[in-house]
């Protein structure tokens, strides 16, 4: 069964780093599709600047026209912080015990995984596919011991093998290294600089229309 990719994020705003991550994982891991799940009130970080509805709209505009991508509104609709493990449990209930699920993470997110709420339960619910991200080396020295142990236990060389199991493996994939972050884009807009070519024009047009980040 083809795995379904899950890409959670604040998407404040969505940019080409996210889109390229989803595209390369979809192709390399033969995902049936990728669900972009914008966080409503992310529990791990300072709260986003754009409103939930604006972040959802930016995601929709960014992925429009790609039949492999869809926006999933389940977290954005919730009034309280929502943990990834709860979202994955929700998806698991909805999609059945056999469906392979694959949580897509950039290296920065993966390196902090052991601080997430009930993080070990995630392995019973989904595979994890990690992509490198400039500035966040995935070297073992940079990794907390408990995460290193899970990585050794669950490491899978062959991405195609994810299709045979619903959850529990970790794969790593080299993707185009794009040193793009939403933080930098927000700063540029605030400073009156152009973030053009770091994110889709349709998203930048919306940011300007709505006067977000300025
Ligand atoms: P911010 O700068 O506001 O923290 P961000 O650019 O890191 O935002 P998020 O929405 O927090 O974006 O990221 C969602 C997911 O996408 C995370 O797993 C993150 O690691 C991954 N990601 C974001 N940008 C990149 C990138 N340039 N390359 C690889 N992965 C990325």
């Amino acid at each position: 069964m083809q795995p379904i990719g899950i890409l959670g994020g604040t998407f404040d705003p969505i940019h080409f780093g996210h889109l390229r991550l989803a595209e390369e994982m979809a192709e390399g891991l033969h995902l049936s599709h990728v669900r972009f799940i914008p966080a409503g009130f992310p529990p791990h970080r300072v709260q986003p600047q754009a409103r939930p509805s604006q972040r959802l709209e930016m995601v929709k505009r960014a992925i429009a026209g790609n039949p492999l991508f869809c926006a999933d509104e389940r977290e954005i609709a919730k009034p309280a912080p929502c943990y990834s493990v709860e979202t994955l449990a929700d998806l698991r209930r909805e999609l059945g015990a056999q469906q392979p699920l694959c949580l897509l993470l950039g290296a920065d997110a993966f390196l902090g995984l052991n601080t997430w709420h009930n993080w070990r339960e995630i392995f019973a619910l989904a595979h994890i596919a990690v992509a490198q991200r400039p500035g966040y080396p995935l070297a073992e020295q940079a990794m907390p011991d408990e995460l290193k142990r899970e990585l050794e236990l669950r490491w899978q060389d062959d991405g195609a093998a994810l299709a045979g199991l619903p959850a529990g493996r970790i794969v790593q994939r080299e993707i185009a290294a794009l040193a793009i972050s939403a933080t930098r884009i927000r700063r540029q807009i605030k400073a009156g600089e152009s973030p053009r070519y770091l994110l889709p024009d349709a998203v930048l047009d919306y940011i300007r229309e709505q006067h977000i980040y300025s």
Side-chain angles (χ1 to χ4, degrees):
M1 209 186 291
Q2 271 180 289
I4 295 173
I6 315 287
L7 180 57
T10 15
F11 303 122
D12 187 27
I14 188 166
H15 53 68
F16 285 134
H18 301 123
L19 293 162
R20 200 57 219 168
L21 167 67
E23 179 75 5
E24 294 201 32
M25 290 293 191
E27 194 165 49
L29 300 176
H30 310 290
L31 305 178
S32 67
H33 64 276
V34 176
R35 290 187 185 212
F36 288 69
I37 311 189
F41 297 92
H44 288 287
R45 49 177 293 156
V46 286
Q47 293 306 303
Q49 290 185 18
R51 289 197 300 273
S53 59
Q54 292 174 320
R55 291 182 290 108
L56 175 63
E57 182 60 25
M58 291 191 275
V59 168
K60 285 183 174 168
R61 290 184 184 217
I63 66 178
N66 187 334
L68 284 185
F69 292 174
C70 68
D72 185 318
E73 305 184 14
R74 74 187 63 223
E75 285 194 12
I76 213 108
K78 294 195 177 155
C82 180
Y83 295 107
S84 298
V85 69
E86 292 167 356
T87 300
L88 289 169
D90 222 37
L91 283 162
R92 175 58 67 205
R93 274 191 294 275
E94 192 176 303
L95 299 164
Q98 296 312 314
Q99 171 63 55
L101 297 177
C102 191
L103 183 64
L104 312 181
L105 295 179
D108 58 314
F110 180 71
L111 290 171
L113 184 69
N114 60 314
T115 65
W116 292 18
H117 181 66
N118 289 346
W119 67 284
R120 284 199 171 86
E121 284 178 23
I122 291 179
F123 297 111
L125 295 163
H127 301 296
I128 290 186
V130 190
Q132 88 276 26
R133 180 172 185 182
Y136 300 93
L138 270 170
E140 293 226 334
Q141 321 70 287
M143 222 175 276
D145 283 344
E146 48 186 358
L147 195 53
K148 212 183 301 174
R149 276 197 294 277
E150 292 294 338
L151 186 66
E152 282 160 9
L153 199 71
R154 301 176 180 283
W155 180 257
Q156 178 75 60
D157 269 332
D158 175 16
L162 299 187
L165 277 173
R169 314 301 296 178
I170 301 175
V171 292
Q172 194 188 321
R173 295 204 57 97
E174 296 267 315
I175 63 165
L178 298 175
I180 303 175
S181 73
T183 302
R184 180 146 175 238
I185 292 173
R186 293 194 299 273
R187 278 199 201 122
Q188 284 174 315
I189 295 172
K190 195 162 175 50
E193 295 163 11
S194 167
R196 200 169 171 205
Y197 307 126
L198 297 177
L199 72 176
D201 284 345
V203 176
L204 187 52
D205 290 347
Y206 180 76
I207 290 171
R208 288 186 173 142
E209 262 167 43
Q210 299 273 314
H211 309 289
I212 316 173
Y213 311 123
S214 49

